[in-house]
Amino acid sequence: MSSLLEPESSRRNTKPPGIRFIECTKKSNISFKSHQAIVLIVTFLAYASYHASRKTTSIIKSALDPQTPDESLQSASFLQRSNALSWVLGSGWAPFNGTHGTVLLGDLDLAFLFVYAVGMFFSGHIGDRMNLRIFLTIGMLGTGLFTSLFGIGYWANIHFFYYYLIIQMIAGLFQSTGWPSVVAVVGNWFGKSKRGLIMGIWNAHTSVGNITGSLIASYFLKYGWGWSMVVPGLMIAVVGVVVFLFLPVDPESMGVVRDEDESGWPKKGITEHLLSSKTDNEKGTPVGFLEAWKIPGVAPFAFCLFFAKLVAYTFLYWLPFYISHTAINGEYLSNEAAGNLSTLFDVGGVVGGILAGHISDRLDARAITAASFMYCAIPALYLYRSYGHISMSVNIILMLVTGMFVNGPYALITTAVSADLGTHRSLRGNSKALATVTAIIDGTGSIGAAIGPVLTGYISTRSWSAVFTMLMAAAFVAGLFLTKLVVAEVTAKCQESRGRSSGGAARSSVVEEV
């Protein structure tokens, strides 16, 4: 029988301990709307902590390798630049402070993100087949452990490169559990109505996590870069415990009825579902990997995200380093100041995510919105590289604008688009595809996320202008992958507009005849 028809005592065993405690204290069940609020808050905190722990490596880069200034925008002699930079940033940490320091740092990014991308595909497959609350908790505790182990290398005086490489690879594997899990849980509780706006606001966890991680890591740098890793590692472990205690996975396991106005699901479907005696297999079996790829729209958005995340993650991992090695108005910033300034990119990202979600809801056009943002990112990237060093105020304005256009489509595709495709009409109501589809789209994007930072590690040793050229090209290609979907959406809008016009003309003629 369906889980909704099981006795209350049986369903209660699947509820998180914290939910059971609250209901026991209140002596009444929590409402559907309250469950939705808990889901949004807990998943927001969960993925914000994932990104906070992920952001730390970008902050400590300038402490590990402080000796590579950006020469292309400066007119002073190399000796003056080198001395000034050494005075501000320190001597670094072997083996990253050598001639090939940026290359080694890029290799760490590649190792982390490659394992993260591969793990994403498996995480989505596993997430559709086990309790997402337990799966997410394991991932967060593992992430906290290995993020902290990276920082322990500071006190243990470890200078062996492969120690940090292996730690990053395992951390990437645990990090891959996060995104498919949180999107699947949110998708279980919210229907398509206003999904873009809701998920655009909710997706601010990415930027909030980046900002929090940057501020915390930057603050603790003065006590030693190890603290910049250990503190965020402990934070995500604590939030992992909160997830275990409070995260409700889906309405069925909680024994609550979906509310049409809040979730966007029709009442008739809910009534039929409640009265149904179908087994879980009849309601839908987990969708296979290749089958999920065949869902209309999955491949174009996945490949678009490949290039969109290449741009976004290059900024995620290298922006503080770039700022600290580029003189702004003739002056270099300290590690802490550069890390704090880089958070404005994520502030712009919050605005971009919400704006993209709202626009796509109003237009009912995800592809048009995402492609438009990607094309607008190209001039924003050019302007930031060309004029960002002129003054602090110009740098801030251009960074905010760049963050808005770069992170807007990235946020839209990884949230609302993934949820839309995971519940696509071609699945005929099968709800067991959401984590798999999410993993495919974000996993493909994460391969691009792995490539961008490692290419930056190599290319930046020659020219940061070449890095920005690569990013502009990637943004252009990302938009191109959505061309077919954009044309389809424009065609549909034109047909809809003509239909309304003809309908209005017909009504007018009827009125005249009357």
Side-chain angles (χ1 to χ4, degrees):
M1 295 292 287
S2 173
S3 61
L4 283 173
L5 301 177
E6 294 174 357
E8 175 66 22
S9 59
S10 177
R11 288 200 305 268
R12 197 174 261 283
N13 291 333
T14 66
K15 293 183 178 181
I19 298 293
R20 293 204 303 268
F21 176 78
I22 293 174
E23 291 184 338
C24 181
T25 303
K26 290 179 57 181
K27 296 182 180 179
S28 63
N29 291 333
I30 299 176
S31 67
F32 182 81
K33 184 183 292 187
S34 297
H35 276 97
Q36 285 185 310
I38 293 172
V39 166
L40 288 178
I41 293 171
V42 173
T43 54
F44 186 99
L45 291 175
Y47 210 67
S49 64
Y50 269 106
H51 260 265
S53 63
R54 193 181 305 173
K55 179 68 175 178
T56 53
T57 53
S58 71
I59 299 299
I60 67 171
K61 276 180 179 175
S62 51
L64 300 177
D65 175 28
Q67 300 296 330
T68 315
D70 177 21
E71 303 175 39
S72 58
L73 295 177
Q74 314 302 328
S75 58
S77 69
F78 175 82
L79 181 61
Q80 289 175 324
R81 283 192 305 273
S82 181
N83 289 340
L85 200 60
S86 297
W87 182 81
V88 172
L89 302 180
S91 59
W93 185 270
F96 303 104
N97 59 350
T99 305
H100 302 289
T102 55
V103 174
L104 293 178
L105 292 171
D107 289 342
L108 287 184
D109 294 340
L110 175 64
F112 174 90
L113 291 167
F114 177 77
V115 174
Y116 174 80
V118 174
M120 185 78 70
F121 295 108
F122 291 100
S123 293
H125 185 77
I126 296 171
D128 278 331
R129 290 161 174 78
M130 71 173 289
N131 188 313
L132 288 171
R133 177 172 59 89
I134 304 300
F135 187 57
L136 192 58
T137 300
I138 293 172
M140 296 180 75
L141 293 177
T143 298
L145 173 63
F146 285 93
T147 301
S148 299
L149 285 175
F150 191 104
I152 287 175
Y154 173 78
W155 293 285
N157 200 31
I158 297 174
H159 297 275
F160 183 54
F161 171 71
Y162 288 100
Y163 168 83
Y164 299 103
L165 186 71
I166 293 172
I167 290 296
Q168 281 293 84
M169 292 175 70
I170 301 176
L173 182 63
F174 280 108
Q175 282 262 358
S176 70
T177 62
W179 190 241
S181 301
V182 296
V183 172
V185 171
V186 172
N188 288 337
W189 287 93
F190 293 88
K192 190 173 181 179
S193 176
K194 296 185 179 179
R195 182 180 276 166
L197 178 59
I198 291 172
M199 286 193 154
I201 297 172
W202 173 74
N203 193 63
H205 54 49
T206 299
S207 296
V208 169
N210 290 340
I211 293 170
T212 303
S214 296
L215 294 176
I216 292 174
S218 298
Y219 174 79
F220 282 101
L221 267 181
K222 58 189 173 187
Y223 302 109
W225 62 262
W227 287 109
S228 298
M229 300 295 293
V230 170
V231 173
L234 294 175
M235 285 175 55
I236 190 172
V238 171
V239 178
V241 175
V242 173
V243 167
F244 175 78
L245 292 175
F246 292 101
L247 182 65
V249 174
D250 54 58
E252 289 76 15
S253 64
M254 297 295 104
V256 296
V257 180
R258 305 180 194 268
D259 179 71
E260 179 186 19
D261 295 334
E262 297 300 325
S263 67
W265 277 287
K267 288 288 187 181
K268 181 180 178 181
I270 300 307
T271 304
E272 289 175 349
H273 186 74
L274 284 168
L275 298 177
S276 172
S277 60
K278 292 180 180 179
T279 63
D280 287 340
N281 286 335
E282 287 173 310
K283 288 190 293 182
T285 57
V287 173
F289 181 76
L290 294 179
E291 185 181 352
W293 269 105
K294 296 176 183 178
I295 297 173
V298 167
F301 275 112
F303 290 121
C304 172
L305 190 62
F306 176 96
F307 290 97
K309 287 192 75 169
L310 185 154
V311 179
Y313 268 64
T314 297
F315 274 89
L316 175 69
Y317 281 95
W318 285 100
L319 183 57
F321 184 89
Y322 171 75
I323 293 173
S324 66
H325 290 70
T326 302
I328 300 176
N329 196 24
E331 297 181 1
Y332 289 102
L333 300 181
S334 66
N335 291 339
E336 182 177 357
N340 291 336
L341 180 60
S342 70
T343 61
L344 295 177
F345 179 84
D346 292 293
V347 173
V350 172
V351 176
I354 295 173
L355 189 61
H358 178 65
I359 292 173
S360 70
D361 276 344
R362 292 293 299 270
L363 297 178
D364 192 21
R366 309 288 197 211
I368 292 174
T369 305
S372 299
F373 270 69
M374 289 310 309
Y375 289 135
C376 289
I378 297 172
L381 288 165
Y382 175 79
L383 292 172
Y384 181 69
R385 171 57 183 169
S386 300
Y387 301 103
H389 66 283
I390 292 177
S391 68
M392 183 63 71
S393 58
V394 172
N395 188 289
I396 289 173
I397 293 172
L398 293 177
M399 191 186 302
L400 287 168
V401 173
T402 303
M404 181 178 71
F405 287 122
V406 168
N407 280 353
Y410 162 40
L412 180 65
I413 295 172
T414 54
T415 53
V417 169
S418 295
D420 288 350
L421 296 175
T423 54
H424 194 270
R425 61 180 179 273
S426 65
L427 295 170
R428 298 178 182 177
N430 185 352
S431 62
K432 295 187 176 182
L434 191 49
T436 299
V437 169
T438 301
I440 286 175
I441 293 177
D442 201 46
T444 304
S446 295
I447 297 174
I451 293 174
V454 73
L455 287 178
T456 300
Y458 285 93
I459 298 173
S460 64
T461 59
R462 296 171 176 81
S463 169
W464 276 102
S465 294
V467 171
F468 277 82
T469 300
M470 174 191 74
L471 298 180
M472 288 185 282
F476 179 73
V477 175
L480 287 181
F481 269 106
L482 297 181
T483 301
K484 185 176 180 180
L485 296 178
V486 169
V487 171
E489 288 181 350
V490 171
T491 302
K493 293 296 176 186
C494 291
Q495 292 175 346
E496 181 182 341
S497 178
R498 285 197 295 268
R500 284 199 300 265
S501 299
S502 61
R507 285 192 296 272
S508 298
S509 63
V510 170
V511 171
E512 289 174 359
E513 291 175 3
V514 173

